């Protein structure tokens, strides 16, 4: 394992034919700043990816993951992404956004186009390139 690589656990959360995504804070020092991405985060030392994804989703939106499944593994030179998927069983207004600029239910068309309007930002914002790739893979393998 490359010491420079960071391991993260992220969740694809779906409801009917839409996907819950987070508009990341527009802070230049964070990855994919101001872009739509998936909820999740760093795997803590001694933590497994499945424990990390449950913790991160709970911290970020107050959602207790129902039974979830592993989707894939996306390594690059900097980050190893452990990707899981689960249904979103609550309405958007029942979630509390504790991290990020906005959240929204994006359609497969939003994801294919690579952008979506954010009410909080007041403008169309792009998807993070890696998160778009993961979502396109998921949509292709799991037609809803």
């Amino acid at each position: 394992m490359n010491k420079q690589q960071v391991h993260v656990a992220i969740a694809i959360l779906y409801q009917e034919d839409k996907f819950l995504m987070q508009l990341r804070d527009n802070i230049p020092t964070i990855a994919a700043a101001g872009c739509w991405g998936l909820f999740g985060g760093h795997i803590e030392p001694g933590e497994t990816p499945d424990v990390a994804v449950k913790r991160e989703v709970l911290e970020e939106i107050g959602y207790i993951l129902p039974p979830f499944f592993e989707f894939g593994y996306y390594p690059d030179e900097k980050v190893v992404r452990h990707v899981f998927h689960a249904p979103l069983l609550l309405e958007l207004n029942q979630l509390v956004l504790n991290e990020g600029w906005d959240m929204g239910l994006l359609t497969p068309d939003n994801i294919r186009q690579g952008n979506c309007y954010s009410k909080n930002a007041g403008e169309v914002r792009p998807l993070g390139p890696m998160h778009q790739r993961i979502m396109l893979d998921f949509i292709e393998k799991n037609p809803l």
Side-chain angles (χ1 to χ4, degrees):
M1 179 169 73
N2 180 342
K3 269 175 104 167
Q4 306 332 19
Q5 284 177 311
V6 173
H7 283 253
V8 299
I10 53 182
I12 297 170
L13 300 171
Y14 47 85
Q15 186 171 83
E16 293 169 12
D17 59 347
K18 295 182 178 149
F19 301 92
L20 183 67
M21 296 190 79
Q22 171 197 49
L23 183 58
R24 295 177 57 80
D25 288 312
N26 205 13
I27 300 169
T29 54
I30 67 170
C35 294
W36 290 101
L38 297 166
F39 286 97
H42 290 87
I43 299 172
E44 302 293 338
E47 198 173 45
T48 59
D50 58 322
V51 169
V53 75
K54 288 197 289 196
R55 177 184 53 75
E56 285 287 344
V57 169
L58 184 60
E59 287 174 5
E60 292 182 356
I61 55 174
Y63 183 54
I64 297 169
L65 279 181
F68 60 95
F69 304 92
E70 195 166 350
F71 172 65
Y73 181 74
Y74 288 79
D76 65 25
E77 56 285 345
K78 292 184 183 170
V79 182
V80 177
R81 295 167 185 85
H82 301 264
V83 185
F84 299 89
H85 66 95
L88 177 63
L89 303 173
L90 297 177
E91 296 303 316
L92 211 52
N93 64 7
Q94 293 176 283
L95 303 173
V96 179
L97 184 65
N98 295 313
E99 190 174 305
W101 192 3
D102 201 355
M103 66 178 163
L105 289 167
L106 277 65
T107 66
D109 283 345
N110 295 143
I111 292 160
R112 287 185 199 100
Q113 290 165 11
N115 60 52
C116 185
Y117 179 77
S118 161
K119 193 174 70 171
N120 289 358
E123 62 187 7
V124 172
R125 301 296 305 182
L127 269 73
M130 181 56 84
H131 290 253
Q132 182 185 23
R133 187 181 130 206
I134 291 167
M135 291 304 302
L136 289 172
D137 287 353
F138 185 81
I139 291 166
E140 185 182 309
K141 292 177 181 152
N142 300 278
L144 299 176

